[in-house]
Amino acid sequence: MSVQQFLEKHMLSRKIEDAVNAAVRAKSPDPVLFISNHMRKAVPSVITKIKARQILDSRGIPTVEVDLYTNKGMFRASAPSGDTTGMYEAVGIRDGDKGTYLGNSVTRAVKNVNEKISEALIGMDPTLQSQIDHAMIDLDKTEKKVPLYKYIADLSGETNLTLPVPAFTLISGGKHAGNHLAIQDIMILPIGASRFEEAVQMGSETYHHLKAVITEKYGAHGCNVGEDGGFAPNISSFREGLDLVKEAISRTGYDEKIKIAIDVAATDFCIGTKYDLDIKVPNKSGQNFKSVEDMLEIYKELCSEYPIVSIEDPFDKEDWEHVKHFSSLGICQVVGDGLLMSNPKRIQRAIQESACNALLLKVNQIGTVTEAIEVVKLAKDANWGVVTSHRCGETEDSFIADLSVGLATGQIKAGAPCRGERLAKYNQHALIFSSVVLAASQSERQTNLTYDCFELRKSLGIKQFMLVKIGGYHPDQRP
Ligand code: 2PG
Ligand code: MG
């Protein structure tokens, strides 16, 4: 190749001319340095070397760090790891030699990076992310990952997957807050939302309207929150809390589309056979006990005055007789939490005795996923509602979100639309929703996942809404 051919092949004359012109335009005080930097930028990036090593993570457990060299510099990254690992996530390879770092060393993974991965990636443009990722996926022989909710659905045999109707905690009381309110939660159910994201919007907007309502009435300190993220103004009666929530709902304009649910957690203020609604009020506690009959009347009145459609634990956890009587009135959904403790034997008994008509599913209370699947089947066979539930002490783990979809429980109670550990669940639903819509729009797979308020509305005797199917948005005009 002649000199002329070489210059033409690499377009050197033009590139050098461009660099000189740029240096002149910039009036660079050191044109040679300027031209050399300019030329470096004009060169396309290419991976030249990859070097992995073992380091320790924040817990002192080995993990992999990689230096990636290109013709433009060196870039460093390291991988996190955790305890909550599942069989369908990407596999983290550990050496397993108990004599070294208790089996956690990662020298095999480091070797893989330094040899196989490095060989595949050197010479590639580091900005072509998808090509790089596909080169690594081709090297990785592990099975394709399955979404967690789908895995749970496959385990349980559930095929009609639904995103649940969220019960957002708006006001906290009972053992979950330092105010004077004896009952534990006042929640809202956006039963008129046609898509999950609309339900979240309705929940969030109502929460923020409530904040304004409480601030106007009790000052900003009334907006401190309880353990589930609900506001905890210093109120002491059912009605004060319900009035605040009712006002917030009316400010949103959603009106009939939002209903109210309460968790009375009555065991916590049951003394003997009586209920002390003032149990948390200094100088009043112990002076005004309510009988079971009084409580029944209170519930009946409240259900007729407020849009309450669901009451959890209206009586002491061992008072089977009265919760049964209350359920038989058919006024609202009656959820068993303390009554059932997610325990298969208690659930079976409650079904036989028609003691309540909905299960609060606390998976950590039942202990295993297999048993959770069994009790959900029991409840569904009895035509009960199922509410997947968080705990007051939560983490940012979002497992129960996938569980609620995979078991199609239809309802979830995961706290306020506020605080990271509560939002982790609702945000996971949003992620499931968007991934399914995306998959459906790419026509890659068929999906039956719906956001279906219909069943809940039907069981609550509410009929005026329609179902919208995710992935195609076919309105289903069920009556
Ligand atoms: C409940 C739960 C969640 P805890 O009573 O439903 O609010 O509370 O975790 O305290 O059992
Ligand atoms: Mg409860």
Side-chain angles (χ1 to χ4, degrees), residues 170-174 176-184 186 207 210-211 213-226 229-245 280:
L170 290 202
I171 292 198
S172 293
H176 291 174
N179 54 7
H180 291 172
L181 186 65
I183 66 165
Q184 193 176 276
I186 302 179
Y207 187 80
L210 180 62
K211 188 172 187 177
V213 174
I214 293 174
T215 308
E216 285 160 25
K217 207 157 177 208
Y218 299 92
H221 57 82
C223 296
N224 292 339
V225 300
F231 295 116
N234 204 10
I235 53 176
S236 55
S237 78
F238 275 103
R239 278 199 167 74
E240 279 172 290
L242 290 166
D243 284 339
L244 291 169
V245 171
K280 292 167 72 186

Side-chain angles (χ1 to χ4, degrees), residues 319-341:
D319 188 353
W320 291 75
E321 185 195 333
H322 291 99
V323 75
K324 178 179 170 177
H325 173 65
F326 182 55
S327 299
S328 74
L329 301 178
I331 296 175
C332 64
Q333 172 177 261
V334 180
V335 184
D337 173 14
L339 179 81
L340 306 173
M341 293 173 211

Side-chain angles (χ1 to χ4, degrees), residues 105-121:
S105 57
V106 291
T107 58
R108 267 195 311 140
V110 166
K111 193 161 177 275
N112 279 343
V113 176
N114 286 339
E115 293 174 4
K116 291 187 189 151
I117 293 179
S118 154
E119 201 178 292
L121 302 193

Side-chain angles (χ1 to χ4, degrees), residues 82-92 142-148 151 397 399:
D83 289 332
T84 44
T85 50
M87 65 183 289
Y88 283 95
E89 66 176 86
V91 182
T142 51
E143 226 184 302
K144 254 197 153 175
K145 293 164 274 292
V146 172
L148 183 54
Y151 169 66
D397 190 289
F399 175 76

Side-chain angles (χ1 to χ4, degrees), residues 87 102 171 175 287:
M87 65 183 289
L102 307 160
I171 292 198
K175 284 191 169 169
Q287 294 169 33

Side-chain angles (χ1 to χ4, degrees), residues 154-169:
D154 291 346
L155 276 183
S156 68
E158 181 61 67
T159 49
N160 291 318
L161 305 190
T162 62
L163 284 158
V165 178
F168 295 110
T169 311

Side-chain angles (χ1 to χ4, degrees), residues 192-440:
S194 55
R195 296 166 56 141
F196 187 81
E197 56 194 1
E198 195 187 331
V200 170
Q201 184 184 338
M202 289 161 101
S204 167
E205 288 175 6
T206 315
Y207 187 80
H208 289 284
H209 278 295
L210 180 62
K211 188 172 187 177
V213 174
I214 293 174
T215 308
E216 285 160 25
K217 207 157 177 208
Y218 299 92
H221 57 82
C223 296
N224 292 339
V225 300
E227 286 178 358
D228 293 357
F231 295 116
N234 204 10
I235 53 176
S236 55
S237 78
F238 275 103
R239 278 199 167 74
E240 279 172 290
L242 290 166
D243 284 339
L244 291 169
V245 171
K246 205 173 157 189
E247 171 63 18
I249 295 172
S250 81
R251 289 193 191 183
T252 63
Y254 292 122
D255 302 313
E256 282 301 302
K257 291 186 173 179
I258 297 181
K259 301 289 180 193
I260 296 178
I262 55 178
D263 180 3
V264 180
T267 306
D268 293 337
F269 56 93
C270 178
I271 316 285
T273 56
K274 305 249 165 145
Y275 294 88
D276 185 0
L277 283 167
D278 292 326
I279 196 161
K280 292 167 72 186
V281 189
N283 307 324
K284 275 177 103 183
S285 157
Q287 294 169 33
N288 183 21
F289 288 110
K290 302 280 179 212
S291 67
V292 190
E293 290 71 29
D294 295 335
M295 293 302 286
L296 269 170
E297 280 314 305
I298 291 174
Y299 296 137
K300 282 197 236 169
E301 276 171 28
L302 293 176
C303 287
S304 65
E305 287 169 35
Y306 300 90
I308 296 174
V309 293
S310 179
I311 299 187
E312 181 178 327
D313 286 346
F315 296 99
D316 179 70
K317 64 181 182 334
E318 299 304 335
D319 188 353
W320 291 75
E321 185 195 333
H322 291 99
V323 75
K324 178 179 170 177
H325 173 65
F326 182 55
S327 299
S328 74
L329 301 178
I331 296 175
C332 64
Q333 172 177 261
V334 180
V335 184
D337 173 14
L339 179 81
L340 306 173
M341 293 173 211
S342 299
N343 177 301
K345 289 207 176 102
R346 289 177 79 95
I347 294 167
Q348 252 151 355
R349 176 178 166 194
I351 290 171
Q352 269 156 19
E353 297 184 17
S354 304
C356 57
N357 52 39
L359 161 70
L360 194 86
L361 176 71
K362 287 169 164 172
V363 72
N364 77 319
Q365 210 169 42
I366 188 164
T368 64
V369 172
T370 306
E371 288 161 294
I373 291 172
E374 279 164 17
V375 294
V376 168
K377 278 196 181 133
L378 275 179
K380 285 190 176 181
D381 287 348
N383 279 325
W384 279 19
V386 181
V387 187
T388 305
S389 176
H390 67 157
R391 304 307 307 269
C392 63
E394 265 296 335
T395 70
E396 287 186 11
D397 190 289
S398 57
F399 175 76
I400 61 163
D402 285 84
L403 187 80
S404 67
V405 175
L407 298 184
T409 63
Q411 300 173 65
I412 190 167
K413 155 178 161 173
C418 166
R419 322 311 304 174
E421 75 281 7
R422 313 294 149 183
L423 286 167
K425 283 70 171 172
Y426 300 128
N427 287 340
Q428 175 66 8
H429 288 121
L431 191 70
I432 293 171
F433 174 94
S434 60
S435 66
V436 169
V437 170
L438 191 72

